[in-house]
Amino acid sequence: DTAVSQTPKYLVTQMGNDKSIKCEQNLGHDTMYWYKQDSKKFLKIMFSYNNKELIINETVPNRFSPKSPDKAHLNLHINSLELGDSAVYFCASSQLGYGYTFGSGTRLTVV
Amino acid sequence: SQQGEEDPQALSIQEGENATMNCSYKTSINNLQWYRQNSGRGLVHLILIRSNEREKHSGRLRVTLDTSKKSSSLLITASRAADTASYFCATPYSGGGADGLTFGKGTHLIIQP
């Protein structure tokens, strides 16, 4: 019973490609997020979705776009991948006032 | 923008000893959270402490919050090898919105057997 599941776990792709990472939560949480963790383990929020409405959009390139078909899903689509996009991307969900539940991460390597 | 800063960046202790990590933040908060990340894994929520609380316990974990000093500490008592991980404090996103979090850079804890 995985609470927050994201796929794929590993993604190796060439520069310039377009790729998507999928995320699903079965907790009934209202808000979902995407975080990027760099090689120094620093976590930076990228997007937050609440009831299909974008409420936080950190200064990320517009090559990154979140897509939420419903409350339980928040996918991350990345266009024209660059070397600097290599990182671990985490999906998370939460209910207001409580801790987050994170997925296990997607390690993206752009070559 | 980054809000919390953990101290120390790395800590190595013997199994059975207590481990203390500190977190400082910059702006007013309504809660502060601690997370653990094992190598190659996602983050796991440990404790949430609200601004009107000074101390909170969960098993071998004790968290304190001093809003006047804008600081928090995480104490792990009787450490075990399985406690080896990175520990992050997180505070509500200063940019507003709902309940986004910003994370510090973490404390890497190593428990020597």
Side-chain angles (χ1 to χ4, degrees), chain A:
Chain A
D1 279 357
T2 305
V4 178
S5 60
Q6 53 182 109
T7 56
K9 189 172 177 63
Y10 299 97
L11 183 56
V12 180
T13 186
Q14 290 187 328
M15 283 173 49
N17 283 352
D18 302 338
K19 291 293 179 184
S20 292
I21 306 173
K22 296 185 177 181
C23 179
E24 176 182 4
Q25 56 103 357
N26 63 4
L27 299 166
H29 287 168
D30 288 329
T31 310
M32 296 183 70
Y33 312 83
W34 278 104
Y35 278 83
K36 178 181 179 180
Q37 187 172 44
D38 63 23
S39 59
K40 296 183 179 180
K41 289 199 167 183
F42 179 53
L43 277 153
K44 182 177 180 179
I45 188 168
M46 300 178 72
F47 300 105
S48 171
Y49 253 76
N50 182 291
N51 290 326
K52 299 177 71 173
E53 180 183 357
L54 181 66
I55 53 175
I56 297 176
N57 187 349
E58 189 61 36
T59 54
V60 299
N62 58 14
R63 299 180 295 104
F64 291 79
S65 56
K67 298 188 190 302
S68 179
D70 55 56
K71 180 180 169 180
H73 296 83
L74 182 64
N75 303 324
L76 182 64
H77 189 75
I78 314 168
N79 289 327
S80 303
L81 278 156
E82 301 176 357
L83 293 176
D85 297 333
S86 295
V88 182
Y89 292 84
F90 287 99
C91 176
S93 70
S94 75
Q95 200 72 353
L96 187 62
Y98 295 90
Y100 284 24
T101 302
F102 279 80
S104 57
T106 295
R107 182 173 294 277
L108 171 66
T109 303
V110 182
V111 297

Side-chain angles (χ1 to χ4, degrees), chain A residues 43 93-94 98-102, chain B residues 6 32-37 43-48 74 85-91 101 103 107:
Chain A
L43 277 153
S93 70
S94 75
Y98 295 90
Y100 284 24
T101 302
F102 279 80
Chain B
E6 291 90 347
L32 184 143
Q33 304 180 33
W34 284 91
Y35 288 79
R36 183 188 74 231
Q37 184 179 32
L43 282 79
V44 175
H45 179 253
L46 297 176
I47 286 184
L48 182 152
L74 170 66
S86 292
Y87 292 81
F88 296 87
C89 68
T91 52
L101 293 176
F103 289 81
T107 292

Side-chain angles (χ1 to χ4, degrees), chain B residues 45-58:
Chain B
H45 179 253
L46 297 176
I47 286 184
L48 182 152
I49 186 166
R50 303 187 195 282
S51 58
N52 61 352
E53 299 174 308
R54 291 297 169 258
E55 188 171 307
K56 202 162 184 178
H57 296 252
S58 176

